[in-house]
Amino acid sequence: MTIDSMDPEEVDAADILGSAIERREDPALITGDAEYTDDIQRPGMAHMAVARSQYGHADLEGVDTSAAEEMEGVVATYTHEDLHGEDTPEGGSFSLPTGWLLDSLEQVDHPILADGRVRYQGDAIAVVVAEDRYTARDAAEAVSVDYGRRDAVTDPREALDEGAPALHGEDNVAFDWELGDSDATDEAFESASHTVSIDVENQLLVPNAMEPRAAVADYSPGSGELEVFMTSQNPHLHRLLMSGVIGHPEHKLRIKAPEVGGGFGSKIHHYADEALAAWIAKDLERPVKWTATRTETYVTDAQGRGHRTEAELAMDDDGRITGLRVDTKANLGAYLSTFAPAVPTWLYGTLLSGQYDIPAIHCSVTGAFTNVPPVDAYRGAGRPEASFVVERLAHLGAREVDMDPAEFRRLNFVPADEFPYETQVAVVYDSGDYEKPLDKALEMVDYDSFRERQEQAREEGRYLGIGFSCYIEACGLAPSELAGQLGAQAGLWESSLVRFHPSGTVTAFCGTSGHGQGHATTYAQIVANELGIPYDDVEVVEGDTDEIPHGMGTYGSRSAAVGGSSLVKSSEKLVEKAKEIAAHQLEADPDDIEFEAGEFRLAGAPDRSLGIKEVAEQSYLAHDMPEEMEPGLEATSFYDPDNFVFPFGTHVAVVEVDPDSGEIEFEQYAAVDDVGNQINPKIVEGQIHGGIAQGIGQALYEGAEYDENAQLLTGSMQDYAVPKTYHIPEMETDSTVTESPHNPLGVKGVGEAGTIAAPQAVVNAVADALEPFGVEGIEMPLTAERVWEATNGRATTD
Ligand code: MCN
């Protein structure tokens, strides 16, 4: 089913929450009116370019910037020594913050400019500043570097082998981590009637946000204010971290995210380039702009996934899952990126129960340093990897016990009456009803007739396959206490401010920082609904540390569940104050005042009422306020929920595979997702579509490939296959609604669901199609070559 967008003016005010109104941010994006970081101009602005390592692993035997300095238009050059020289300001650490969110880590220094050694192709060596961006780039190329080449390693398993080239210390182990009960899991395997196992790679991916990372920094020597516009998903966190790195006081540093052209996780982390632009603007007392080239994004944006996993599933005679054992080697790249260690651990291990009631689980993860760019969160971050492992094993498990794959899953689902459900891997699922999406999806693909069609097709030498993915994810990243128990070193909550203006319009500020998710629309829907005022009277502001009280940003599909809930809380506080003002004006007791649809009414006397807009006006302009009440009408809240939210659903891919050519064609892709209540079903649908496209990209096309010297072979859009629209099938989407009990909106996140669900639906479908060839699975991306190799290019009818 496809949802049509509606004009907000045609929607009844009472229905604004939950309506599929069109996104208010689109006209500016479509007409080119939106302002991105690179659009920002400042008088006297200089341009920065970075000289980067050409090699994956090398000693720096000499860095010579003299040729660059001599070029006309070059303003300054910097190397590591310049940043650590005697005349640099005190306080700057010039090292990037590494590996937040996990205790017990092998912490390694990540200098902002390389200190004698480079560890990945793209590692920053020197910076050039020039009057224009072209001169800056030419000058960066003129920086001469003598390299002493070292052996490199890019695969996490090989990096952990004895004798592998070590990046930092004696070996490449960044951490060893485990979760679950190893004894109980061993016992489950000892007494199992059936077991299946996989040895799979979840390949490294390049995020590929449409807009490359960029920064414009402007320093006012008089006031000491440093203003940085940048492509940020989390300006407040960037302010905190950048303030420490460059030694500039947090209260005099303003980070502003203008329009941000996608992030997919890659713009959460703290990188060297933006901090360098900020520090250099201050050093030169000139505005400085840096915009990454597409090539730079390929070699410097934190990459995603990068797992090698061995996993086994134990089952009893009836096909019930009795145990799961997982061992993963996770690629962390050359240095620990900001949130990197949390991704293959807490965001991965805690999701390994999937939708299933599994009595014994054990997971061990070793994080490995390798000569690739730092690896961190990329859409889904740990959860796609977990879902992939669980759903690939479910596919093989069903085969092993000779059960239908849908019925195998149904048998093992956590029953709907068992929620909240505590898994064996440290989380409690909030709410769920897993059979509903499965049943809807089965109907959408007419599963009853599929096997017959498949059989007939096989007789004709055509190979149809169906693949299931009954996924779960944890999002709404917040609960500080729970995050703390899981080892996070920072609380996660969200703040907002809702402000009435005297004329009755409202500005809602939120600490999240949308970059394509439609927050200006959905947040306005939430606030308009809470205050009972027209949708068009609410303006939403995000992404500016000077305007918004505080914030944690947008990632982990947290904005609706945590930011949206904070807006509800602020609105409720505001209504409480407004009620007291209304009571005063109506000469009544506040307890006798009811609030509904923007009107305060005296209970039992419906003619005595006051609209919230009038109250707002009174709050600023009236001389007659309740005793000791301050004028004005606004409220701030910091919202910290009790738990994550756990969206779920069933995705089904139906494909036809040509074993002779290795080509895969989609016949159907059906997705049924449960993200709790939907604030805006059209935006939810769009998020699911985008997510599925990225998931299919991983399944069939994408992958960062390195040679043995750690040179990226897929370093451009010509070589790295981002799927085109014609690669993506028509998607049929539907939903079920199971409210989350943990937030006032009853919502669960949607931003990553499609990406988490899709890869294994596709891989399972291809494996199902190729069952006659004895194919159990093929490594992603399922290129025609790999498929052809798996079937030897021969149809069984030959
Ligand atoms: N929403 C809703 N009803 C729900 C849940 C969400 O209407 N039950 C709406 C929200 O109000 C919001 C949107 O759907 O407008 C997404 O909400 P949410 O799931 O809370 O996710 P976030 O807004 O926190 O976005 C983060 C998420 C992540 S983690 C990645 S990665 C991602 C994604 O969003 N990157 C994106 N979607 C993206 N979309 C675009 N265009 N660009 C990216 O970089």
Side-chain angles (χ1 to χ4, degrees):
M1 123 185 152
T2 303
I3 298 165
D4 291 326
S5 357
M6 303 151 85
D7 183 338
E9 304 226 324
E10 287 164 14
V11 176
D12 198 31
D15 297 327
I16 196 71
L17 193 69
S19 286
I21 58 171
E22 59 208 23
R23 296 186 356 146
R24 58 164 59 163
E25 36 281 270
D26 287 347
L29 295 172
I30 291 166
T31 57
D33 207 24
E35 186 177 62
Y36 293 84
T37 302
D38 193 55
D39 294 327
I40 292 165
Q41 304 295 341
R42 284 282 187 270
M45 188 165 74
H47 295 261
M48 179 184 114
V50 184
R52 302 186 180 280
S53 173
Q54 294 173 16
Y55 296 110
H57 202 186
D59 291 314
L60 294 179
E61 292 173 352
V63 179
D64 184 357
T65 55
S66 54
E69 277 156 27
E70 279 162 22
M71 289 171 71
E72 199 182 321
V74 169
V75 177
T77 64
Y78 299 88
T79 61
H80 179 87
E81 283 67 35
D82 298 318
L83 294 186
H84 290 83
E86 276 171 17
D87 51 357
T88 52
E90 281 184 32
S93 74
F94 298 117
S95 263
L96 296 178
T98 60
W100 270 30
L101 301 186
L102 194 76
D103 301 334
S104 68
L105 277 176
E106 172 69 25
Q107 287 285 0
V108 295
D109 196 29
H110 187 181
I112 204 163
L113 288 176
D115 180 15
R117 182 161 161 195
V118 285
R119 294 179 175 86
Y120 66 96
Q121 179 197 5
D123 216 349
I125 296 174
V127 181
V128 175
V129 184
E131 297 294 346
D132 65 84
R133 69 172 62 183
Y134 306 103
T135 307
R137 293 217 183 117
D138 288 348
E141 278 181 26
V143 173
S144 159
V145 182
D146 285 336
Y147 296 94
R149 301 280 297 277
R150 284 173 174 259
D151 289 341
V153 64
T154 58
D155 178 282
R157 240 180 226 166
E158 286 168 18
L160 296 170
D161 284 347
E162 211 165 302
L167 272 79
H168 296 282
E170 306 260 294
D171 60 30
N172 291 314
V173 178
F175 60 79
D176 272 316
W177 179 88
E178 60 180 322
L179 185 65
D181 186 334
S182 63
D183 291 342
T185 308
D186 287 349
E187 273 170 37
F189 277 89
E190 275 158 30
S191 56
S193 308
H194 302 272
T195 62
V196 286
S197 64
I198 49 172
D199 181 347
V200 285
E201 176 173 19
N202 202 300
Q203 79 270 32
L204 266 180
L205 300 176
V206 177
N208 270 305
M210 206 184 287
E211 178 205 22
R213 285 189 296 117
V216 171
D218 195 357
Y219 177 64
S220 306
S223 65
E225 300 281 345
L226 179 57
E227 188 178 37
V228 183
F229 296 83
M230 63 184 267
T231 48
S232 171
Q233 294 181 222
N234 45 343
H236 289 86
L237 216 50
H238 274 135
R239 179 178 63 171
L240 172 68
L241 298 177
M242 190 184 287
S243 143
V245 169
I246 67 170
H248 191 84
E250 194 182 357
H251 68 295
K252 285 183 175 285
L253 181 59
R254 177 183 199 175
I255 306 275
K256 223 175 150 181
E259 203 66 63
V260 176
F264 309 111
S266 67
K267 292 169 180 168
I268 319 173
H269 326 306
H270 193 293
Y271 297 90
D273 316 284
E274 293 86 337
L276 279 166
W279 183 79
I280 291 170
K282 191 174 167 183
D283 190 49
L284 298 177
E285 298 189 359
R286 271 184 82 164
V288 170
K289 178 185 281 187
W290 169 79
T291 303
T293 61
R294 180 60 62 186
T295 306
E296 275 181 303
T297 70
Y298 269 87
V299 293
T300 66
D301 282 8
Q303 300 187 347
R305 319 278 190 259
H307 283 202
R308 290 220 170 240
T309 298
E310 287 176 74
E312 299 171 90
L313 195 69
M315 290 153 291
D316 67 14
D317 278 333
D318 301 328
R320 280 190 191 280
I321 302 172
T322 54
L324 170 65
R325 192 190 278 138
V326 178
D327 179 48
T328 294
K329 311 296 180 218
N331 198 340
L332 297 173
Y335 303 94
L336 294 176
S337 174
T338 322
F339 303 104
V343 176
T345 53
W346 293 113
L347 290 173
Y348 170 67
T350 51
L351 271 302
L352 284 169
S353 201
Q355 294 190 2
Y356 309 113
D357 181 16
I358 307 182
I361 304 177
H362 183 257
C363 163
S364 54
V365 181
T366 307
F369 291 115
T370 72
N371 296 108
V372 307
V375 180
D376 206 319
Y378 165 62
R379 200 171 194 172
R383 290 153 288 161
E385 297 91 313
S387 204
F388 187 77
V389 167
V390 174
E391 287 304 290
R392 285 292 296 128
L393 285 170
H395 175 91
L396 295 174
R399 231 189 233 192
E400 167 70 22
V401 298
D402 206 14
M403 272 182 82
D404 175 89
E407 294 317 306
F408 176 82
R409 286 168 166 90
R410 192 191 299 280
L411 174 75
N412 284 291
F413 278 161
V414 175
D417 57 5
E418 295 257 326
F419 290 88
Y421 172 81
E422 186 170 358
T423 69
Q424 299 302 310
V425 273
V427 287
V428 178
Y429 293 166
D430 55 348
S431 60
D433 191 344
Y434 301 149
E435 291 201 44
K436 280 189 183 155
L438 176 64
D439 286 337
K440 264 197 178 183
L442 291 177
E443 226 172 86
M444 284 159 79
V445 298
D446 191 11
Y447 191 52
D448 286 343
S449 72
F450 176 79
R451 292 294 172 198
E452 212 175 295
R453 283 202 302 121
Q454 184 181 42
E455 204 44 52
Q456 270 172 12
R458 279 181 188 168
E459 280 166 20
E460 294 161 17
R462 289 171 48 231
Y463 295 89
L464 299 185
I466 192 161
F468 293 90
S469 168
C470 296
Y471 76 97
I472 183 148
E473 71 135 326
C475 59
L477 294 191
S480 304
E481 197 180 334
L482 192 58
Q485 284 163 13
L486 296 178
Q489 290 158 3
L492 287 161
W493 36 260
E494 199 44 80
S495 87
S496 66
L497 162 63
V498 176
R499 174 178 294 153
F500 250 112
H501 303 288
S503 61
T505 57
V506 165
T507 306
F509 302 85
C510 191
T512 51
S513 197
H515 44 281
Q517 294 89 349
H519 293 175
T521 304
T522 49
Y523 285 180
Q525 289 178 268
I526 293 171
V527 173
N529 177 63
E530 287 296 320
L531 302 181
I533 60 171
Y535 164 81
D536 282 336
D537 284 353
V538 184
E539 190 64 25
V540 174
V541 175
E542 289 184 296
D544 185 341
T545 56
D546 268 16
E547 286 211 61
I548 296 143
H550 214 292
M552 284 289 169
T554 287
Y555 46 84
S557 304
R558 64 189 303 276
S559 302
V562 196
S565 298
S566 174
L567 285 164
V568 171
K569 205 171 159 190
S570 295
S571 302
E572 284 172 352
K573 281 189 185 176
L574 184 151
V575 167
E576 272 313 298
K577 179 174 179 183
K579 188 189 264 188
E580 286 191 41
I581 301 171
H584 183 72
Q585 300 285 332
L586 296 170
E587 296 178 342
D589 189 318
D591 289 345
D592 295 333
I593 300 287
E594 291 163 352
F595 179 66
E596 205 194 330
E599 287 283 313
F600 293 98
R601 284 200 179 81
L602 184 60
D607 55 325
R608 292 184 61 198
S609 68
L610 210 54
I612 194 165
K613 288 188 168 213
E614 288 166 80
V615 175
E617 187 186 350
Q618 298 287 332
S619 76
Y620 287 101
L621 307 178
H623 305 291
D624 182 22
M625 290 280 280
E627 212 172 313
E628 291 187 19
M629 181 176 279
E630 293 174 4
L633 193 56
E634 67 175 49
T636 302
S637 72
F638 282 67
Y639 175 78
D640 190 354
D642 298 334
N643 196 356
F644 302 114
V645 289
F646 294 87
F648 57 90
T650 294
H651 286 211
V652 185
V654 183
V655 299
E656 179 167 348
V657 185
D658 179 347
D660 291 326
S661 66
E663 293 291 335
I664 298 165
E665 270 200 29
F666 282 95
E667 190 176 275
Q668 206 177 351
Y669 191 101
V672 184
D673 297 277
D674 193 320
V675 299
N677 290 330
Q678 301 186 9
I679 300 161
N680 184 323
K682 186 70 194 170
I683 286 180
V684 166
E685 185 187 55
Q687 286 291 314
I688 294 285
H689 282 185
I692 293 172
Q694 271 174 308
I696 289 176
Q698 167 160 30
L700 298 184
Y701 305 107
E702 300 182 34
E705 294 282 337
Y706 291 86
D707 73 7
E708 69 277 12
N709 295 314
Q711 289 280 325
L712 181 61
L713 299 173
T714 50
S716 76
M717 282 195 179
Q718 260 189 331
D719 305 304
Y720 183 97
V722 177
K724 319 289 179 294
T725 45
Y726 58 83
H727 289 127
I728 301 299
E730 197 67 37
M731 300 163 201
E732 290 164 48
T733 53
D734 206 339
S735 55
T736 59
V737 174
T738 311
E739 288 186 12
S740 173
H742 294 303
N743 62 67
L745 292 162
V747 296
K748 302 184 177 199
V750 68
E752 295 155 291
T755 317
I756 293 167
Q760 57 276 8
V762 178
V763 175
N764 285 342
V766 172
D768 184 56
L770 300 180
E771 194 178 350
F773 297 88
V775 173
E776 296 198 329
I778 302 173
E779 292 281 27
M780 297 188 292
L782 307 179
T783 56
E785 186 183 355
R786 283 183 175 168
V787 172
W788 186 88
E789 273 170 5
T791 60
N792 295 316
R794 280 182 294 107
T796 48
T797 47
D798 279 359

Short mmCIF file of all heavy atoms in Angstrom, two decimals, residues 673-705:
data_model
loop_
_atom_site.label_atom_id
_atom_site.label_comp_id
_atom_site.label_asym_id
_atom_site.label_seq_id
_atom_site.Cartn_x
_atom_site.Cartn_y
_atom_site.Cartn_z
N ASP A 673 6.31 -3.36 9.00
CA ASP A 673 7.10 -2.87 10.13
C ASP A 673 6.18 -2.39 11.23
O ASP A 673 5.13 -1.81 10.96
CB ASP A 673 8.02 -1.74 9.67
CG ASP A 673 9.00 -2.22 8.64
OD1 ASP A 673 10.04 -2.78 9.04
OD2 ASP A 673 8.72 -2.08 7.43
N ASP A 674 6.63 -2.60 12.46
CA ASP A 674 5.88 -2.10 13.61
C ASP A 674 6.77 -1.12 14.34
O ASP A 674 7.74 -1.51 14.99
CB ASP A 674 5.48 -3.27 14.52
CG ASP A 674 4.44 -2.84 15.54
OD1 ASP A 674 4.56 -1.71 16.07
OD2 ASP A 674 3.52 -3.62 15.82
N VAL A 675 6.46 0.17 14.18
CA VAL A 675 7.26 1.20 14.84
C VAL A 675 6.39 1.93 15.86
O VAL A 675 6.58 3.10 16.14
CB VAL A 675 7.89 2.18 13.82
CG1 VAL A 675 8.81 1.44 12.88
CG2 VAL A 675 6.83 2.96 13.02
N GLY A 676 5.45 1.18 16.43
CA GLY A 676 4.54 1.78 17.41
C GLY A 676 3.62 2.76 16.73
O GLY A 676 3.35 2.66 15.51
N ASN A 677 3.12 3.72 17.49
CA ASN A 677 2.29 4.76 16.88
C ASN A 677 3.12 5.53 15.87
O ASN A 677 4.31 5.74 16.07
CB ASN A 677 1.78 5.73 17.95
CG ASN A 677 0.76 5.08 18.85
OD1 ASN A 677 0.04 4.18 18.43
ND2 ASN A 677 0.71 5.51 20.10
N GLN A 678 2.48 5.95 14.80
CA GLN A 678 3.22 6.71 13.78
C GLN A 678 2.80 8.18 13.85
O GLN A 678 1.62 8.49 13.74
CB GLN A 678 2.92 6.14 12.40
CG GLN A 678 3.32 4.67 12.31
CD GLN A 678 3.18 4.10 10.91
OE1 GLN A 678 2.94 4.82 9.95
NE2 GLN A 678 3.34 2.80 10.79
N ILE A 679 3.78 9.04 13.99
CA ILE A 679 3.48 10.48 14.04
C ILE A 679 3.04 10.93 12.64
O ILE A 679 2.08 11.66 12.47
CB ILE A 679 4.72 11.28 14.49
CG1 ILE A 679 5.15 10.81 15.88
CG2 ILE A 679 4.43 12.79 14.50
CD1 ILE A 679 6.57 11.18 16.23
N ASN A 680 3.78 10.44 11.64
CA ASN A 680 3.47 10.80 10.26
C ASN A 680 3.74 9.58 9.36
O ASN A 680 4.89 9.27 9.03
CB ASN A 680 4.34 11.98 9.82
CG ASN A 680 3.99 12.46 8.42
OD1 ASN A 680 3.68 11.66 7.55
ND2 ASN A 680 4.05 13.76 8.21
N PRO A 681 2.67 8.87 8.98
CA PRO A 681 2.87 7.61 8.22
C PRO A 681 3.61 7.79 6.90
O PRO A 681 4.28 6.86 6.45
CB PRO A 681 1.43 7.14 7.97
CG PRO A 681 0.62 7.80 9.03
CD PRO A 681 1.28 9.11 9.31
N LYS A 682 3.51 8.97 6.28
CA LYS A 682 4.23 9.16 5.00
C LYS A 682 5.73 9.23 5.26
O LYS A 682 6.53 8.66 4.50
CB LYS A 682 3.75 10.47 4.34
CG LYS A 682 4.33 10.69 2.94
CD LYS A 682 3.74 9.69 1.96
CE LYS A 682 4.51 9.65 0.66
NZ LYS A 682 4.09 8.53 -0.19
N ILE A 683 6.11 9.92 6.34
CA ILE A 683 7.54 10.01 6.67
C ILE A 683 8.05 8.64 7.10
O ILE A 683 9.16 8.22 6.73
CB ILE A 683 7.76 11.11 7.74
CG1 ILE A 683 7.60 12.47 7.05
CG2 ILE A 683 9.11 10.96 8.42
CD1 ILE A 683 7.79 13.67 7.94
N VAL A 684 7.23 7.91 7.83
CA VAL A 684 7.62 6.55 8.23
C VAL A 684 7.86 5.70 6.98
O VAL A 684 8.88 5.02 6.85
CB VAL A 684 6.52 5.91 9.13
CG1 VAL A 684 6.72 4.41 9.27
CG2 VAL A 684 6.53 6.58 10.50
N GLU A 685 6.95 5.80 6.03
CA GLU A 685 7.10 5.02 4.80
C GLU A 685 8.38 5.40 4.06
O GLU A 685 9.13 4.55 3.57
CB GLU A 685 5.88 5.26 3.90
CG GLU A 685 5.87 4.42 2.64
CD GLU A 685 4.73 4.82 1.71
OE1 GLU A 685 4.62 6.01 1.34
OE2 GLU A 685 3.94 3.94 1.35
N GLY A 686 8.65 6.71 4.01
CA GLY A 686 9.87 7.19 3.32
C GLY A 686 11.13 6.66 4.00
O GLY A 686 12.09 6.27 3.34
N GLN A 687 11.12 6.66 5.32
CA GLN A 687 12.28 6.15 6.06
C GLN A 687 12.47 4.66 5.79
O GLN A 687 13.61 4.19 5.61
CB GLN A 687 12.09 6.39 7.57
CG GLN A 687 12.27 7.84 7.98
CD GLN A 687 13.71 8.30 7.84
OE1 GLN A 687 14.64 7.61 8.24
NE2 GLN A 687 13.90 9.45 7.25
N ILE A 688 11.37 3.94 5.73
CA ILE A 688 11.48 2.49 5.47
C ILE A 688 12.02 2.28 4.05
O ILE A 688 12.93 1.46 3.83
CB ILE A 688 10.10 1.81 5.64
CG1 ILE A 688 9.64 1.87 7.10
CG2 ILE A 688 10.11 0.38 5.10
CD1 ILE A 688 10.32 0.91 8.05
N HIS A 689 11.49 3.02 3.08
CA HIS A 689 11.97 2.87 1.70
C HIS A 689 13.48 3.13 1.62
O HIS A 689 14.21 2.33 1.03
CB HIS A 689 11.26 3.88 0.78
CG HIS A 689 9.87 3.46 0.42
ND1 HIS A 689 9.10 4.16 -0.47
CD2 HIS A 689 9.12 2.42 0.81
CE1 HIS A 689 7.92 3.57 -0.60
NE2 HIS A 689 7.91 2.51 0.15
N GLY A 690 13.92 4.26 2.19
CA GLY A 690 15.35 4.59 2.12
C GLY A 690 16.19 3.53 2.79
O GLY A 690 17.26 3.15 2.30
N GLY A 691 15.71 3.05 3.93
CA GLY A 691 16.45 2.03 4.67
C GLY A 691 16.58 0.74 3.88
O GLY A 691 17.65 0.13 3.82
N ILE A 692 15.48 0.35 3.25
CA ILE A 692 15.52 -0.90 2.46
C ILE A 692 16.51 -0.74 1.30
O ILE A 692 17.29 -1.65 0.99
CB ILE A 692 14.12 -1.28 1.94
CG1 ILE A 692 13.20 -1.64 3.11
CG2 ILE A 692 14.20 -2.45 0.95
CD1 ILE A 692 11.74 -1.85 2.72
N ALA A 693 16.47 0.43 0.66
CA ALA A 693 17.39 0.65 -0.46
C ALA A 693 18.84 0.46 0.00
O ALA A 693 19.65 -0.18 -0.69
CB ALA A 693 17.19 2.05 -1.04
N GLN A 694 19.15 0.98 1.19
CA GLN A 694 20.52 0.81 1.68
C GLN A 694 20.81 -0.65 2.04
O GLN A 694 21.91 -1.14 1.83
CB GLN A 694 20.77 1.72 2.88
CG GLN A 694 21.28 3.09 2.42
CD GLN A 694 21.39 4.09 3.54
OE1 GLN A 694 20.45 4.30 4.28
NE2 GLN A 694 22.53 4.72 3.65
N GLY A 695 19.80 -1.34 2.57
CA GLY A 695 19.99 -2.75 2.91
C GLY A 695 20.20 -3.60 1.66
O GLY A 695 21.03 -4.51 1.64
N ILE A 696 19.44 -3.28 0.61
CA ILE A 696 19.62 -4.01 -0.65
C ILE A 696 20.99 -3.67 -1.24
O ILE A 696 21.68 -4.52 -1.81
CB ILE A 696 18.47 -3.68 -1.63
CG1 ILE A 696 17.18 -4.32 -1.12
CG2 ILE A 696 18.79 -4.18 -3.05
CD1 ILE A 696 15.93 -4.00 -1.94
N GLY A 697 21.40 -2.42 -1.05
CA GLY A 697 22.74 -2.01 -1.50
C GLY A 697 23.80 -2.90 -0.87
O GLY A 697 24.72 -3.38 -1.55
N GLN A 698 23.67 -3.14 0.43
CA GLN A 698 24.66 -4.00 1.09
C GLN A 698 24.54 -5.44 0.58
O GLN A 698 25.55 -6.10 0.33
CB GLN A 698 24.47 -3.99 2.61
CG GLN A 698 25.27 -5.13 3.26
CD GLN A 698 25.55 -4.97 4.73
OE1 GLN A 698 24.77 -4.36 5.43
NE2 GLN A 698 26.66 -5.52 5.18
N ALA A 699 23.32 -5.92 0.43
CA ALA A 699 23.15 -7.33 0.04
C ALA A 699 23.72 -7.60 -1.35
O ALA A 699 24.37 -8.62 -1.57
CB ALA A 699 21.67 -7.70 0.07
N LEU A 700 23.50 -6.67 -2.27
CA LEU A 700 23.80 -6.99 -3.67
C LEU A 700 24.99 -6.24 -4.29
O LEU A 700 25.57 -6.72 -5.26
CB LEU A 700 22.57 -6.73 -4.54
CG LEU A 700 21.32 -7.56 -4.22
CD1 LEU A 700 20.23 -7.26 -5.23
CD2 LEU A 700 21.63 -9.05 -4.22
N TYR A 701 25.29 -5.04 -3.80
CA TYR A 701 26.21 -4.21 -4.58
C TYR A 701 27.44 -3.68 -3.84
O TYR A 701 28.53 -3.62 -4.40
CB TYR A 701 25.45 -3.02 -5.15
CG TYR A 701 24.26 -3.42 -5.97
CD1 TYR A 701 22.97 -3.25 -5.48
CD2 TYR A 701 24.42 -4.02 -7.22
CE1 TYR A 701 21.87 -3.64 -6.22
CE2 TYR A 701 23.32 -4.41 -7.96
CZ TYR A 701 22.05 -4.23 -7.46
OH TYR A 701 20.97 -4.63 -8.18
N GLU A 702 27.24 -3.21 -2.61
CA GLU A 702 28.28 -2.38 -1.98
C GLU A 702 29.33 -3.19 -1.24
O GLU A 702 29.08 -4.30 -0.79
CB GLU A 702 27.64 -1.41 -0.98
CG GLU A 702 26.65 -0.47 -1.62
CD GLU A 702 26.06 0.51 -0.64
OE1 GLU A 702 26.78 0.93 0.29
OE2 GLU A 702 24.88 0.86 -0.80
N GLY A 703 30.49 -2.57 -1.07
CA GLY A 703 31.54 -3.17 -0.26
C GLY A 703 32.83 -2.39 -0.45
O GLY A 703 33.20 -2.05 -1.58
N ALA A 704 33.49 -2.05 0.65
CA ALA A 704 34.79 -1.38 0.56
C ALA A 704 35.85 -2.47 0.40
O ALA A 704 36.02 -3.30 1.28
CB ALA A 704 35.04 -0.57 1.82
N GLU A 705 36.51 -2.46 -0.74
CA GLU A 705 37.52 -3.48 -1.03
C GLU A 705 38.91 -2.86 -0.96
O GLU A 705 39.14 -1.80 -1.57
CB GLU A 705 37.33 -4.03 -2.46
CG GLU A 705 36.06 -4.80 -2.67
CD GLU A 705 36.15 -6.21 -2.11
OE1 GLU A 705 37.27 -6.72 -1.96
OE2 GLU A 705 35.09 -6.76 -1.80
#
